Amino acid sequence: IRPLPEADPLNFASRATTPVLMLNGEFDNVFPLETEQIPLFELWGTPAEHKRHIVLEDGHVIPLDVYYRETLDWFDRYLGVAGR
């Protein structure tokens, strides 16, 4: 079942150009890799050098240590290191 057009990420992804980090599980049964994750990532309007898709050997919930590390590194890259 697809969401309503106004709530469907595929309708706005190409218009978004901000840096994007996607952390997903390869075996996600909510957002499957081939039919949800990859199409959304490829549609994102952000230049390739400013988007990253990390696919882990997990399901829908990824390990928090990976989530925190990757997210904080991404924030440091685009927002600057905290305290500097």
Side-chain angles (χ1 to χ4, degrees):
I1 298 174
R2 299 271 358 138
L4 294 172
E6 61 270 19
D8 189 340
L10 297 178
N11 285 337
F12 70 79
S14 64
R15 295 175 179 89
T17 58
T18 58
V20 63
L21 171 65
M22 285 180 57
L23 298 161
N24 296 107
E26 180 179 2
F27 309 110
D28 190 332
N29 61 342
V30 178
F31 301 109
L33 179 65
E34 297 295 329
T35 59
E36 298 284 336
Q37 297 174 35
I38 292 173
L40 177 61
F41 186 76
E42 289 176 351
L43 281 173
W44 214 267
T46 302
E49 65 270 15
H50 297 293
K51 61 183 184 177
R52 184 168 181 209
H53 186 201
I54 299 171
V55 180
L56 303 166
E57 290 185 7
D58 277 294
H60 184 67
V61 179
I62 60 170
L64 287 178
D65 63 319
V66 176
Y67 172 82
Y68 293 141
R69 181 181 66 248
E70 294 294 343
T71 301
L72 291 173
D73 288 349
W74 190 260
F75 286 163
D76 286 348
R77 178 177 176 187
Y78 286 99
L79 301 176
V81 178
R84 288 190 187 174

